[in-house]
Amino acid sequence: MEKDTGLLLYRNMLLIRMSEERLAQSRQAGLVHGACHTYVGEEAVATGVCAHLNQDDMVFSTHRGHGHALAKGVSPFEVMAELYGRETGCSHGRGGSMHLFKPEVGLMGTSGIVGPCILQAAGAGYTFKLLGKPNVAVAFFGDGASNNGAFHEGVNLAAIYKLPVLFVCENNLYATEVPSSYSSGNPDIYQRAIGYGIPGVKVDGNDAWEMFLAAGEAVRRARAGEGPTLIEAKTYRTRAHSEGMRDVGYRTQEEVESWKARDPIKMLRDRLLRDHTADEDDIDNVHNEVTARVTDDHQRAADSPWPKGSDALSHVYFEGA
Amino acid sequence: MKELTYTVAAREALDEEMARDPRIFVMGEGIGKRGGNFNTTLGLYEKYGPLRLCDTPIAERGFIGLAVGAAMSGSIPVIDFMMVDFILDAMGEIINQMAKMQYMSSGRLRMPMVLRGCIGIGGAAATHHSGSYYSIFSNIPGLRVIVPTTPADVKGMFRTALRGNDPVIMLEHKNLLSNKGLVPDEDYTTPFGQARIARAGKHVTAVGVALTVQKCVQAAEVLAKQGIEVEVIDPRSTSPLDIATILQSVKKTGRLMIVDDAFEPCGFGAEVSAQVGAHGFDDLDAPIRRLSGAFAPTPYSPPLEQEIVPSVETITKALYDLVKE
Ligand SMILES: Cc1ncc(C[n+]2csc(CCOP(=O)(O)OP(=O)(O)O)c2C)c(N)n1
Ligand SMILES: [Mg+2]
């Protein structure tokens, strides 16, 4: 692993983690008005994939999308301001957590509806192919979404048209409180790729380096015109499904602890130090930088102005450039 | 009589009907052991087991299509869909199949099934969790669309749905779920197509739907202090629609306003206006007015969200203006 890459992955995971821990506090303080699904424990997935993407590659995300947005280059300030309902948010306060949009950096939306991101990523892949662009589209989605009809139709369409798409299933073992072992006839989702005639890859979704390598190959394939890849990242969310929601009765404390012991940030840190890719000073510097950044962005977001009520009806239709 | 919340009253109806009729089963996400995202089935899994409280994958089109087949073949499915926004993927199953099945089979098949869950704007839920859509469903022949507003009504109407033979869409406004009210002890049913006078008055008629019934009553209380008596009507079902009760009220008041969170064009208010215009024209002393949600997706941020739905203040002012017209 090169030092730059290792520290970049480390920094981006930490940025997601610290931003979301701040969001969780802010929600308790009443600054977040609607739902807030955190990505804590799953940071390696978005980080490993998005490290290969350029700004004009496109990401289509879910209800659990803060990590995807941040990894794709939306600033913590714009994500926080959005959840705080402010005009400076990436959706100008219109969307909140489940409707983060920043097409300028290829974040094509988080979603309050489970499933459509899979179809939309196929659509972006179609555009890239049609217009001869060298880009790739990525759909992030959960194990729950993989049992929605959109999965079957989207993956098959991308397969038959050989579209430049990554289907990244974040299998965190539960959809809200329903275990994927209950809702999937075969909970190894990557194996479904066989049915569509595309590669299916199983990855340790808590290992940023493994994620980085698997995504690198899928992106290479896509850019080379070889078609889509299904990646199943086995991972786990260590906080409640949604902030403020009950988190007992459907999984054991031992299970949660066993995954916390495999914290993706800690795992990468251990690897960086073990392999002498980076030293403690490097890691401390990243911590200091990210802490300062998140603190500052939170403050600016919390100090930002509210949108004007009179703007509520703008953008329903095209309003000119 | 006993005092129950809206949620508990609906759950009692479900529980009692499931005990009576072994053909009833429930499908939805997290409605088994978890008891439902809105506690709609709390405790029922322990009582009736996993076949009758069936947890589903996130496959709305799939399980609604399955439920259509189940109803066709002799069971009574209840789909607990959480938010109405989530079943839009199943519109083909709902409109082409569920609604038309009795007709297509020349009445040989019955379609006893209930799709139930939440509607409404509020709580910064943003645009994928704020839909109402009763106007859309009410546009479809073959569907019954009910919008109960009180604990007594939700229990009585849910029972009617579960004992009936038509597909019913029961829409529960999320801001009504924790409201409390008196519920009769006996085994009663509340028919569809019979409006309720939520508050009697003589100067102006206000027709609400779901949460706006409550807001209209609150506006009426404000206006009563100024000597204006508002008659508030709760249609309880938008299909069938009890236009007779509305016409009777307009005969008395001469003025009509329809207050509705959902979109105005081609909507519920337009339907009521057209029918009152056709059958109550001579009773009107002023043009019929509508106050609806803005014609826009639902924004997240509280100052934007407040802006796009009728509030007690805007309703009060609009009713006042109408009386002065
Ligand atoms: C069409 C639709 N149905 C139901 C929901 C409610 N819902 C929100 S998140 C969720 C679970 C999603 O599980 P999964 O896809 O595994 O993602 P995770 O939350 O585990 O990241 C459900 C059922 C929804 N948002 N959209
Ligand atoms: Mg999941």
Side-chain angles (χ1 to χ4, degrees):
Chain A
M1 196 187 326
E2 292 184 1
K3 180 169 178 177
D4 285 355
T5 309
L7 284 177
L8 177 82
L9 294 175
Y10 189 78
R11 179 193 170 278
N12 288 352
M13 285 202 289
L14 198 63
L15 192 74
I16 298 171
R17 173 72 56 89
M18 294 186 114
S19 296
E20 287 199 305
E21 284 177 343
R22 170 48 84 175
L23 282 171
Q25 285 170 15
S26 291
R27 193 174 178 285
Q28 291 222 316
L31 274 169
V32 174
H33 310 281
C36 179
H37 306 91
T38 75
Y39 197 58
V40 173
E42 308 186 21
E43 294 91 346
V45 185
T47 302
V49 172
C50 291
H52 297 283
L53 303 184
N54 303 318
Q55 219 170 52
D56 51 2
D57 294 321
M58 294 184 182
V59 163
F60 296 82
S61 162
T62 65
H63 58 288
R64 195 176 302 291
H66 310 153
H68 309 140
L70 293 164
K72 192 66 178 67
V74 184
S75 70
F77 167 67
E78 288 168 298
V79 171
M80 291 179 186
E82 187 55 36
L83 273 86
Y84 302 169
R86 306 312 165 97
E87 181 61 33
T88 48
C90 60
S91 306
H92 303 286
R94 278 190 170 65
S97 169
M98 288 191 280
H99 307 274
L100 304 173
F101 281 81
K102 180 118 191 189
E104 299 87 338
V105 300
L107 193 262
M108 307 307 286
T110 61
S111 173
I113 301 293
V114 170
C117 60
I118 301 172
L119 302 166
Q120 291 164 6
Y126 203 93
T127 294
F128 299 148
K129 185 159 177 163
L130 179 74
L131 303 182
K133 292 188 172 177
N135 297 112
V136 299
V138 180
F140 291 104
F141 54 93
D143 48 288
S146 74
N147 292 319
N148 187 277
F151 173 88
H152 167 66
E153 298 185 29
V155 176
N156 189 56
L157 285 165
I160 64 170
Y161 302 135
K162 271 195 179 268
L163 301 178
V165 183
L166 272 64
F167 296 104
V168 183
C169 179
E170 302 174 324
N171 187 348
N172 60 10
L173 303 183
Y174 298 90
T176 313
E177 298 186 5
V178 181
S180 59
S181 57
Y182 169 89
S183 27
S184 300
N186 171 1
D188 277 327
I189 289 153
Y190 75 97
Q191 290 181 358
R192 297 186 195 174
I194 297 168
Y196 303 107
I198 63 169
V201 195
K202 176 170 83 169
V203 187
D204 178 352
N206 282 35
D207 187 325
W209 183 240
E210 293 298 324
M211 270 314 304
F212 179 80
L213 294 179
E217 169 56 15
V219 168
R220 184 204 62 72
R221 264 180 54 81
R223 291 203 206 279
E226 293 167 29
T229 304
L230 173 62
I231 296 178
E232 179 184 4
K234 305 271 189 190
T235 184
Y236 201 80
R237 69 169 156 72
T238 50
R239 297 182 71 94
H241 169 72
S242 181
E243 286 306 296
M245 199 159 145
R246 179 188 68 150
D247 193 30
V248 291
Y250 68 99
R251 56 185 192 178
T252 62
Q253 198 53 43
E254 295 81 76
E255 184 182 280
V256 178
E257 291 308 324
S258 73
W259 282 92
K260 278 187 177 164
R262 301 190 68 254
D263 182 287
I265 297 179
K266 184 175 157 296
M267 277 171 60
L268 182 61
R269 180 196 148 95
D270 290 350
R271 188 196 282 260
L272 291 172
L273 294 177
R274 180 169 18 97
D275 296 352
H276 304 289
T277 313
D279 60 27
E280 299 270 2
D281 281 349
D282 296 323
I283 301 236
D284 286 349
N285 288 340
V286 172
H287 267 265
N288 294 339
E289 181 225 314
V290 170
T291 307
R293 174 80 194 272
V294 169
T295 309
D296 187 54
D297 280 21
H298 155 73
Q299 201 52 52
R300 283 198 298 135
D303 291 343
S304 287
W306 294 96
K308 286 203 295 288
S310 55
D311 285 344
L313 298 190
S314 53
H315 306 305
V316 179
Y317 298 101
F318 182 66
E319 290 168 2
Chain B
M1 297 277 238
K2 59 188 166 198
E3 186 167 76
L4 299 178
T5 65
Y6 188 99
T7 299
V8 173
R11 193 167 67 224
E12 276 197 3
L14 181 61
D15 188 2
E16 291 165 16
E17 293 306 305
M18 287 185 80
R20 275 183 72 237
D21 191 339
R23 294 172 302 171
I24 299 174
F25 71 100
V26 187
M27 289 191 115
E29 292 149 30
I31 57 88
K33 225 185 278 170
R34 184 171 166 226
N37 194 51
F38 297 112
N39 296 331
T40 45
T41 55
L42 203 66
L44 302 188
Y45 181 88
E46 289 71 17
K47 232 164 143 173
Y48 301 108
L51 253 184
R52 298 187 68 197
L53 272 302
C54 178
D55 265 322
T56 62
I58 308 169
E60 285 80 4
R61 189 242 169 120
F63 61 73
I64 290 177
L66 181 154
V68 167
M72 291 166 70
S73 52
S75 35
I76 305 178
V78 174
I79 297 294
D80 186 331
F81 57 68
M82 264 186 284
M83 311 298 301
V84 73
D85 312 78
F86 303 162
I87 60 169
L88 297 182
D89 271 6
M91 277 307 232
E93 311 304 325
I94 293 171
I95 298 178
N96 276 328
Q97 309 303 328
M98 182 173 89
K100 297 180 182 176
M101 200 56 75
Q102 298 194 88
Y103 189 83
M104 293 192 296
S105 67
S106 334
R108 282 163 294 175
L109 294 175
R110 294 180 181 179
M111 290 303 288
M113 59 187 290
V114 183
L115 312 187
R116 60 91 56 114
C118 286
I119 58 168
I121 296 170
T127 201
H128 285 163
H129 293 70
S130 301
S132 288
Y133 304 127
Y134 38 76
S135 295
I136 295 178
F137 294 124
S138 304
N139 191 242
I140 306 300
L143 301 181
R144 304 285 189 202
V145 185
I146 64 173
V147 197
T149 61
T150 67
D153 282 351
V154 77
K155 184 164 183 186
M157 295 180 88
F158 199 2
R159 265 213 193 102
T160 302
L162 291 167
R163 293 181 190 181
N165 286 301
D166 291 324
V168 176
I169 302 191
M170 181 164 97
L171 303 173
E172 305 159 79
H173 196 292
K174 61 190 176 202
N175 289 3
L176 295 173
L177 299 182
S178 52
N179 280 9
K180 286 186 178 156
L182 289 175
V183 176
D185 296 318
E186 67 268 19
D187 178 6
Y188 70 102
T189 57
T190 308
F192 301 166
Q194 267 185 30
R196 176 178 72 93
I197 312 274
R199 182 187 167 101
K202 58 181 182 225
H203 296 127
V204 57
T205 302
V207 178
V209 190
L211 187 66
T212 57
V213 172
Q214 179 176 307
K215 289 182 178 173
C216 284
V217 169
Q218 288 163 349
E221 283 159 7
V222 176
L223 288 168
K225 295 189 190 114
Q226 305 169 38
I228 296 172
E229 294 297 336
V230 184
E231 180 142 295
V232 180
I233 297 183
D234 175 1
R236 301 200 278 196
S237 57
T238 56
S239 178
L241 175 63
D242 175 10
I243 201 68
T245 299
I246 297 171
L247 283 167
Q248 228 163 35
S249 176
V250 171
K251 203 175 183 69
K252 184 166 60 170
T253 63
R255 289 175 155 78
L256 173 63
M257 166 144 351
I258 304 106
V259 187
D260 168 16
D261 274 356
F263 311 125
E264 196 166 84
C266 304
F268 173 74
E271 177 60 27
V272 174
S273 304
Q275 292 204 41
V276 172
H279 307 294
F281 188 71
D282 293 336
D283 296 324
L284 288 166
D285 299 324
I288 299 169
R289 298 290 178 204
R290 289 180 288 169
L291 191 61
S292 305
F295 193 50
T298 309
Y300 163 79
S301 184
L304 298 177
E305 188 188 52
Q306 279 155 28
E307 189 72 17
I308 60 144
V309 274
S311 63
V312 176
E313 291 72 36
T314 57
I315 297 168
T316 306
K317 175 164 187 325
L319 286 170
Y320 180 89
D321 290 347
L322 178 54
V323 169
K324 297 295 166 200
E325 254 186 63

